[in-house]
């Protein structure tokens, strides 16, 4: 191993260490004191509930753990968006579990909470997966009600989705394990089956204080909407549970009796580990985002037996297109090659840049994978499409549009791993969030933005200095440097993978060593939803 490998390894291991430290903090939700208060009330936390429910919590994947990270600080923060979402097996059935975290503002819904819940339902709908709601929420966070209540992608969309999912035959099970107030009361009751925990669970459109204010009736919350009321009088809920564990055990029993699913039929054989050590990824991936490296070295450490078959290997070399297997699943890989390559004509092409020939190759490969019913895996480390007169005259826009068209109309499930750069139109062509990947995750080394922090800072600096000069202000080298540093610092914060994850532009930030698990789980989930559409590129300029 050379010194560069060792420096890269140290850098990337520090990034992973930072990821684990941040995640450990997120898992505390509202903090240790609130967790203790929760336990004293005889309740499990959201994560404890999910772990008790899942067959094997280690095999599960968590969606949007960093939702809300660094947001709403003026309101005390909202760790993990105040809700925990995992995909895992319950009684042998793969499903999605959504649990309100009542240690965070009593489980109140912030704007990001709504977005995260909608993402969970989207995953359920796309993959035809059962969904389990563990409800413990005070409802909409009133100081921000205008950002969560009225719009199409706000709180009410959850209940609309409940109805649509029911019509699709997607199993929905709810357990009311704490407060369930106002509009939020519709979620569990629009599920197929609902249970309520005695003494700690309650459900009503208006609590006792509001009832007193509205109609003058004096009544306590337990009598108004507790377990006995809804299981024996109103008939709103289907089961009364003694405590959290009893409710979760009942869910396990229900899930264990669900019939088998129609499969999409994606190809899978016995899994084999990579023959090249995956831990080498830490040393291969450069510490600097501008440095070159061979993406094939990364692929060898992600795929079974470290084997892949390249499609059009010598053509369009700044994109790698290849067939491989990951955890036994057949996949088609589209990956940005990050080293400078030499074409047959003797021209040099920059790594990480999409040229006309590489876009053309990707379009053909994506079409082939759709024809063969092979899921697609995109490995992003892209700075964008090639610019300049030669590229423009050669039709880079047309070829890029064809690739975007193929990605947009692909009917096989797509999975995106943001390894490094994810800039501009390159993000789009390589199946960014806007192009409906079933799952999109980032490594700690990822950067998502219109352009790099350095490039953006230079552009923004030119604009700002021009504006200041028009005002008659003198711009010295010291002032210019101060402006540049301030602009770059602000921009660098926005290109961080944590900035993207907090807004759910990605589903997770993961240790590179967990990449195989995420892709395998994603394809397993997608296999629950047979493909209904045919691949059609529509009208494109050939």
């Amino acid at each position: 191993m050379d010194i560069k490998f060792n420096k890269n390894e140290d850098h990337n291991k520090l990034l992973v260490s930072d990821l684990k430290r941040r995640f450990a903090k997120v898992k505390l939700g509202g903090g240790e004191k609130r967790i203790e208060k929760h336990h004293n009330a005889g309740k499990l936390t959201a994560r404890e509930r999910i772990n008790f429910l899942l067959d094997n919590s280690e095999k599960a994947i968590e969606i949007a753990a960093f939702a809300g990270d660094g947001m709403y600080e003026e309101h005390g923060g909202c760790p993990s968006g105040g809700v925990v979402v995992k995909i895992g097996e319950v009684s042998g059935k793969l499903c999605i579990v959504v649990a309100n975290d009542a240690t965070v503002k009593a489980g109140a819904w912030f704007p990001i909470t709504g977005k995260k819940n909608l993402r969970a339902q989207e995953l359920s709908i796309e993959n035809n997966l059962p969904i389990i709601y563990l409800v413990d929420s005070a409802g909409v966070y009133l100081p921000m009600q205008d950002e969560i209540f009225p719009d199409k992608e706000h709180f009410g969309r959850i209940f609309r989705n409940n109805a649509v999912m029911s019509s699709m035959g997607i199993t929905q099970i709810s357990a009311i394990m704490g407060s369930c107030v106002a509009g939020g009361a519709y979620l569990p009751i629009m599920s197929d089956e609902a249970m309520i925990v005695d003494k700690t669970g309650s459900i009503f459109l208006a609590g006792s204080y509001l009832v007193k204010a509205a109609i003058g009736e004096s009544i306590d919350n337990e009598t108004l909407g507790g377990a006995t009321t809804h299981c024996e009088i109103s008939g709103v809920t289907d089961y009364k549970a003694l405590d959290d564990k009893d409710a979760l055990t009942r869910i396990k029993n229900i899930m264990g009796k669900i019939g088998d699913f129609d499969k999409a039929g994606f190809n899978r054989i016995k899994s084999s580990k990579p023959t090249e050590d995956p831990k080498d990824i830490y040393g291969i991936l450069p510490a600097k985002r501008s440095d070159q490296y061979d993406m094939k070295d990364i692929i060898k450490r992600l795929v079974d037996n470290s084997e892949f078959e390249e499609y059009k290997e010598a053509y369009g070399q700044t994109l790698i297109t290849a067939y491989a297997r990951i955890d036994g699943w057949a996949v088609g890989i589209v990956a940005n090659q990050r080293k400078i390559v030499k074409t047959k004509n003797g021209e040099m092409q920059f790594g990480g840049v999409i040229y006309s020939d590489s876009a053309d190759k990707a379009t053909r490969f994506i079409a082939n994978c759709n024809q063969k019913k092979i899921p697609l895996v995109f490995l992003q480390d892209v700075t964008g499409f090639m610019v300049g007169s030669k590229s423009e005259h050669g039709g880079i826009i047309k070829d890029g549009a064809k690739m975007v068209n193929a990605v947009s109309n692909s009917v096989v499930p797509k999975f995106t791993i943001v390894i490094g750069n994810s800039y501009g139109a390159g993000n789009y062509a390589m199946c960014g969030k806007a192009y409906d990947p079933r799952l999109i995750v980032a490594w700690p080394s990822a950067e998502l933005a219109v352009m790099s922090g350095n490039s953006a800072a230079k552009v923004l600096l030119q604009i700002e200095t021009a504006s200041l000069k028009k005002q008659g202000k003198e711009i010295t080298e010291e002032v210019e440097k101060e402006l540049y540093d301030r602009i770059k610092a602000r921009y660098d914060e926005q290109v961080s993978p944590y900035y993207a994850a907090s807004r759910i532009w990605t589903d997770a930030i993961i240790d590179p060593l967990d990449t195989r698990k995420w892709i395998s789980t994603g394809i397993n989930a997608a296999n629950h939803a047979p493909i209904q559409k045919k691949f059609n590129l529509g009208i494109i300029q050939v």
Side-chain angles (χ1 to χ4, degrees):
M1 300 295 177
D2 60 24
I3 188 67
K4 187 175 181 181
F5 183 98
N6 292 335
K7 285 183 177 180
N8 290 340
E9 186 177 41
D10 290 344
H11 174 81
N12 287 306
K13 283 186 174 180
L14 282 173
L15 290 180
V16 171
S17 178
D18 182 51
L19 167 63
K20 291 178 178 178
R21 179 187 60 79
R22 288 171 179 251
F23 184 50
K25 184 178 179 181
V26 160
K27 287 199 291 186
L28 291 175
E32 292 179 350
K33 288 184 178 179
R34 289 181 183 175
I35 290 173
E36 183 181 357
K37 185 178 179 182
H38 205 70
H39 286 161
N40 290 338
K43 298 162 71 174
L44 299 174
T45 66
R47 293 180 183 279
E48 289 168 343
R49 287 167 176 169
I50 292 177
N51 289 342
F52 183 88
L53 186 62
L54 293 173
D55 296 346
N56 187 334
S57 60
E58 294 299 316
K59 290 185 177 181
I61 59 174
E62 182 169 348
I63 304 298
F66 289 102
D69 182 61
M71 300 169 67
Y72 316 121
E73 296 299 329
E74 68 276 22
H75 297 279
C78 186
S80 217
V83 62
V84 183
V85 177
K86 291 192 178 185
I87 301 177
E89 290 189 349
V90 176
S91 298
K93 302 292 191 301
L94 193 66
C95 61
I96 297 174
V97 186
V98 181
N100 298 114
D101 186 349
T103 70
V104 179
K105 299 289 185 183
W109 287 57
F110 283 71
I112 200 66
T113 316
K115 186 173 183 179
K116 185 169 176 178
N117 275 267
L118 287 170
R119 177 59 176 150
Q121 289 185 322
E122 180 183 42
L123 287 167
S124 174
I125 292 168
E126 285 180 335
N127 298 296
N128 196 32
L129 289 181
I131 188 166
I132 298 167
Y133 305 101
L134 307 180
V135 185
D136 193 347
S137 172
V140 167
Y141 183 62
L142 292 178
M144 301 187 74
Q145 64 85 27
D146 61 320
E147 296 181 47
I148 182 60
F149 170 66
D151 209 346
K152 180 180 177 181
E153 301 301 327
H154 284 177
F155 192 62
R157 189 74 172 183
I158 306 290
F159 317 129
R160 175 264 184 194
N161 285 352
N162 287 143
V164 169
M165 292 161 73
S166 182
S167 73
M168 294 173 64
I170 295 173
T171 298
Q172 299 177 84
I173 301 171
S174 289
I176 301 154
M177 311 181 83
S179 298
C180 188
V181 187
Y186 287 105
L187 185 147
I189 309 311
M190 292 185 76
S191 300
D192 303 325
E193 295 182 85
M195 58 200 67
I196 184 169
V197 178
D198 195 22
K199 300 298 185 286
T200 57
S202 59
I203 179 170
F204 32 65
L205 294 182
S208 57
Y209 291 124
L210 186 54
V211 168
K212 176 70 174 177
I215 63 174
E217 179 184 3
S218 296
I219 188 170
D220 63 273
N221 282 338
E222 184 64 26
T223 305
L224 179 66
T228 299
T229 295
H230 286 309
C231 287
E232 300 178 19
I233 300 174
S234 72
V236 166
T237 50
D238 306 309
Y239 309 94
K240 182 198 285 188
L242 297 174
D243 54 26
D244 281 9
K245 289 185 178 180
D246 184 37
L248 297 168
T249 300
R250 287 172 182 265
I251 293 174
K252 288 183 181 184
N253 292 338
I254 294 170
M255 289 295 297
K257 296 176 178 66
I258 294 176
D260 203 0
F261 59 92
D262 295 331
K263 297 174 177 62
F266 301 122
N267 186 290
R268 191 182 198 185
I269 62 173
K270 185 179 178 181
S271 175
S272 298
K273 293 181 179 180
T275 55
E276 300 285 345
D277 189 353
K279 292 180 181 177
D280 289 345
I281 289 172
Y282 298 136
I284 295 167
L285 192 66
K288 292 183 180 179
R289 293 273 44 83
S290 57
D291 284 357
Q292 303 283 305
Y293 66 97
D294 192 342
M295 180 63 81
K296 293 179 185 179
D297 291 334
I298 300 288
I299 295 173
K300 288 175 184 176
R301 286 153 178 85
L302 296 177
V303 301
D304 291 13
N305 294 317
S306 299
E307 296 174 346
F308 56 92
E309 297 175 83
E310 274 200 73
Y311 171 81
K312 291 185 177 290
E313 180 179 1
Y315 176 71
Q317 294 181 64
T318 63
L319 271 180
I320 299 166
T321 49
Y323 298 108
R325 290 189 182 275
I326 293 178
D327 196 24
W329 294 104
V331 296
I333 296 173
V334 181
N336 301 110
Q337 176 57 287
R338 276 309 311 268
K339 70 174 186 177
I340 296 173
V341 297
K342 190 174 183 179
T343 69
K344 191 174 181 181
N345 297 329
E347 297 177 2
M348 305 303 291
Q349 293 186 341
F350 297 102
V353 179
I354 301 175
Y355 290 76
S356 285
D357 54 357
S358 45
D360 174 63
K361 177 171 77 170
T363 302
R364 292 167 182 261
F365 182 73
I366 291 166
N368 283 345
C369 287
N370 274 270
Q371 185 182 52
K372 296 178 177 69
K373 202 158 73 171
I374 300 174
L376 286 159
V377 174
F378 292 83
L379 303 179
Q380 284 194 9
D381 195 345
V382 57
T383 53
F385 285 89
M386 190 57 190
V387 296
S389 60
K390 185 175 181 180
S391 292
E392 298 292 359
H393 296 169
I396 185 65
I397 295 175
K398 177 181 67 176
D399 291 318
K402 287 193 294 185
M403 182 178 172
V404 169
N405 197 313
V407 172
S408 302
N409 287 299
S410 179
V411 297
V412 295
K414 299 167 292 193
F415 302 91
T416 302
I417 314 297
V418 186
I419 289 176
N421 303 327
S422 181
Y423 299 152
N427 169 281
Y428 300 160
M430 291 295 292
C431 198
K433 183 66 182 290
Y435 292 81
D436 298 322
R438 294 292 176 96
L439 292 171
I440 176 170
V441 299
W443 289 0
S445 49
E447 292 187 358
L448 292 86
V450 172
M451 61 183 74
S452 71
N454 186 51
S455 298
K458 288 178 179 178
V459 172
L460 292 170
L461 177 64
Q462 290 178 37
I463 295 170
E464 192 157 340
T465 52
S467 175
L468 291 172
K469 285 177 181 178
K470 282 183 180 179
Q471 297 172 30
K473 296 181 179 179
E474 183 182 354
I475 307 299
T476 63
E477 285 187 12
E478 290 77 13
V479 170
E480 189 171 282
K481 185 180 184 305
E482 184 182 339
L483 283 171
Y484 174 83
D485 291 342
R486 177 164 51 84
I487 293 168
K488 189 174 185 300
R490 184 176 71 239
Y491 198 88
D492 283 346
E493 180 185 349
Q494 294 179 359
V495 306
S496 161
Y498 294 96
Y499 191 91
S502 70
R503 289 151 181 81
I504 319 183
W505 299 344
T506 60
D507 290 313
I509 304 171
I510 66 169
D511 184 335
L513 303 186
D514 289 331
T515 304
R516 281 170 55 86
K517 180 175 84 167
W518 272 80
I519 293 171
S520 179
T521 302
I523 300 176
N524 187 16
N527 204 35
H528 287 65
I531 296 171
Q532 304 293 337
K533 298 178 181 179
K534 289 188 177 181
F535 177 67
N536 189 335
L537 277 178
I539 299 173
I540 61 172
Q541 293 183 332
V542 179

